[in-house]
Amino acid sequence: MSSKRNTTALDSTSKAIIEQLQLDGRRSYAEIGKAVGLSEAAVRQRVQKLTDAGVMQIVAVTDPMRLGFSRQAMLGIRVSGDTRVVADQLAEMPEISYVVLSAGSFDIMVEVVCEDDDALIEVLNEKIRALGGVASTETFVYLQLKKQKYDWGTR
C-alpha cells in the first residue's frame, strides 16, 4: 500500500471491470468481457495493468473463525515520535492485517487476527508494546463480525 494518495485515472471500462471483479473475483475474463464490451484478451491485459499499478488486488477473503483464528481485535495505539516509523514496523507483523494512521484519540489503528486470547496477549506485550515509540494501546475485542464487504464499487 502506498503512503501517498496517488490516484490513477480510470476510464469507465476499467471501472466496470473492477466492479465486476468486486462482485465475483472468480468471474472469467470472457464473462467480464461480455459485460463490459471487450475481448477476453483485452480484459486480461487491463486486469494485469490494474494489479501492476496497485489499483486493485485479487485475493481470497476468508472467515478467520473458520480457519482457527478465534480472536480478532482492533487496537488503538498512541505514539510518541514519528507515527510513520511505528506504522511501518506494525505493518511487518504477520498477526496484523490492517494498519492506518488516524486523527483523533489514537495515532494508529490496527486490526489483529490471532488464534486465541493467549496469542493476542503475546502480540500485545511482546511485539506491539515492545516497539519504541508506542506510548499506549487500547484493545477493542471483536465479539461478532456482522458485516465485511469489499464491493463499494468505483466512483
Side-chain angles (χ1 to χ4, degrees), residues 99-111:
V99 178
V100 62
L101 297 174
S102 60
S105 298
F106 301 104
D107 299 305
I108 300 172
M109 299 291 294
V110 301
E111 183 178 54

Side-chain angles (χ1 to χ4, degrees), residues 1-10 14 18 44-58:
M1 298 291 297
S2 172
S3 62
K4 303 217 186 277
R5 291 189 178 208
N6 295 332
T7 57
T8 302
L10 300 177
S14 290
I18 291 169
R44 183 182 318 279
Q45 182 180 38
R46 282 196 185 226
V47 168
Q48 188 63 51
K49 285 181 181 178
L50 290 166
T51 55
D52 288 348
V55 172
M56 69 174 192
Q57 54 181 308
I58 301 170

Side-chain angles (χ1 to χ4, degrees), residues 3 13 26 31 33 40 44 47 49 58 69 72 91-92 96 102 104 125 138 143-145:
S3 62
T13 303
R26 299 183 308 158
E31 287 179 276
E40 178 180 348
R44 183 182 318 279
V47 168
K49 285 181 181 178
I58 301 170
F69 298 102
Q72 289 180 270
E92 295 298 319
I96 295 177
S102 60
N125 288 325
E138 187 170 341
L143 298 177
Q144 188 176 65
L145 180 63

Side-chain angles (χ1 to χ4, degrees), residues 5 24 31 53 73 75 80 87 89 95 107 143 146 148-149:
R5 291 189 178 208
D24 181 359
E31 287 179 276
L75 287 99
S80 62
Q89 292 171 331
E95 300 87 355
D107 299 305
L143 298 177
K146 285 295 199 179
Q148 185 175 25
K149 302 286 278 182

Side-chain angles (χ1 to χ4, degrees), residues 139-151:
T139 304
F140 304 90
V141 173
Y142 296 0
L143 298 177
Q144 188 176 65
L145 180 63
K146 285 295 199 179
K147 182 177 181 179
Q148 185 175 25
K149 302 286 278 182
Y150 301 96
D151 61 352

Side-chain angles (χ1 to χ4, degrees), residues 64-121:
M65 293 289 284
R66 293 179 185 243
L67 295 175
F69 298 102
S70 62
R71 178 54 65 219
Q72 289 180 270
M74 183 66 67
L75 287 99
I77 301 172
R78 291 182 184 91
V79 174
S80 62
D82 192 335
T83 58
R84 298 167 298 180
V85 171
V86 176
D88 288 343
Q89 292 171 331
L90 291 165
E92 295 298 319
M93 296 180 188
E95 300 87 355
I96 295 177
S97 60
Y98 175 83
V99 178
V100 62
L101 297 174
S102 60
S105 298
F106 301 104
D107 299 305
I108 300 172
M109 299 291 294
V110 301
E111 183 178 54
V112 180
V113 180
C114 297
E115 290 85 0
D116 53 31
D117 288 335
D118 290 336
L120 175 59
I121 292 168

